[in-house]
Amino acid sequence: MGLGRMIAAFGLTLSAMAVPQMAGAVVGGRDGGPAAASTLMVLNARGGVCSGIVLSSRTILTAAHCADGGTDLRIHWKEGGSDEPVLIAPASVAIHPEFNGGAVANRRRSIDLVLLRVQVALPARFVPATLVDGDLPRAGSAVTLAGYGVTREGEARTTGTYRSAGLVTVEPYGPGRILIWAADAAGLGKKAGAGACLGDSGGPITSADGGVIAVASWSTGPSGKSCGLLSQGVLVAPQRGWIDKTLSNWGESASWTTRR
């Protein structure tokens, strides 16, 4: 079944991507970027599009709101030179126990992460990402955000191309041990610039050496828009215990690097 027919049968219409405040592809960025070989797409039955980070041949890390409410999921990529679309249902889904689906509206703490396991190994061209277990990024440090979301807000047809943008970390609400905030270096969250948008949720936020330090989860924009000011991600280092324990229960493991 072609992707168009599968999307229709699966109830996924890109024009109806849900939850506009959640981070979606990168606006103001460029095609390609770090961790491209470790990233794919995650589709859900509410019409949502997310990005996902490959941790092993059978496991993917993405944002929990992509799977909230028990919605049906499909892991998606295009196969080789034929560009043939592939859609695979996960065999196991593990949402972080501290995820709160109403956190944004209720201004409550939430760890927006979910792990997915597939029954059959992913193609060999997918390279497991390296996660960073180290000190929290300091304000002003350079990071790169990437994903498959829209390149222009409100234009669903621009979803599906892996793009990235160089940002800097900022502390709009003070430093924390759960979240990282990043913004375009020119605007620093005060003026519109590059950042996450619809479809980038679950995508990697990487350090200068390409290691994944956070998972994109949310974004803000100017004048009622959802993209272009601040991009938010969930730091992976503080969640290493949950990630490693969950993967171990599945007979899997992630690659970590320690940086101090």
Side-chain angles (χ1 to χ4, degrees):
M1 181 181 293
L3 180 59
R5 290 180 59 198
M6 176 63 82
I7 285 175
F10 192 48
L12 294 173
T13 56
L14 297 184
S15 61
M17 288 187 293
V19 196
Q21 73 270 29
M22 295 299 184
V26 176
V27 295
R30 62 180 178 86
D31 287 1
S38 306
T39 313
L40 37 64
M41 295 178 71
V42 179
L43 313 180
N44 72 49
R46 295 191 308 270
V49 176
C50 288
S51 302
I53 303 165
V54 175
L55 298 188
S56 73
S57 63
R58 296 177 187 268
T59 58
I60 296 113
L61 176 66
T62 187
H65 71 258
C66 303
D68 191 22
T71 186
D72 209 3
L73 298 175
R74 293 294 184 273
I75 296 158
H76 165 56
W77 68 88
K78 291 185 178 179
E79 193 61 65
S82 66
D83 234 18
E84 183 66 24
V86 177
L87 289 156
I88 295 180
S92 303
V93 177
I95 294 178
H96 196 288
E98 295 183 58
F99 169 67
N100 183 332
V104 174
N106 300 327
R107 298 181 180 273
R108 298 180 62 184
R109 164 188 165 117
S110 178
I111 300 176
D112 194 358
L113 296 177
V114 63
L115 284 163
L116 311 175
R117 181 180 66 87
V118 294
Q119 195 69 39
V120 180
L122 297 169
R125 66 182 177 87
F126 287 108
V127 179
T130 297
L131 306 181
V132 177
D133 182 2
D135 292 337
L136 302 180
R138 295 181 178 179
S141 58
V143 298
T144 300
L145 183 147
Y148 283 96
V150 297
T151 60
R152 292 184 296 277
E153 185 172 355
E155 297 186 28
R157 68 179 182 276
T158 65
T159 303
T161 298
Y162 189 77
R163 290 172 60 83
S164 62
L167 307 175
V168 296
T169 59
V170 295
E171 295 177 356
Y173 309 114
R177 287 199 57 82
I178 296 176
L179 302 174
I180 182 175
W181 294 85
D184 187 278
L188 294 177
K190 307 296 184 182
K191 296 186 295 183
C197 200
L198 297 176
D200 291 327
S201 287
I205 299 177
T206 60
S207 56
D209 61 3
V212 176
I213 58 175
V215 177
S217 60
W218 193 78
S219 62
T220 65
S223 304
K225 293 184 177 294
S226 299
C227 316
L229 288 182
L230 294 171
S231 300
Q232 180 196 85
V234 179
L235 293 162
V236 296
Q239 309 310 323
R240 180 170 183 171
W242 172 76
I243 292 171
D244 285 351
K245 181 178 179 180
T246 304
L247 294 183
S248 178
N249 289 341
W250 291 341
E252 302 286 338
S253 62
S255 174
W256 291 88
T257 182
T258 302
R259 185 184 310 130
R260 300 297 178 192

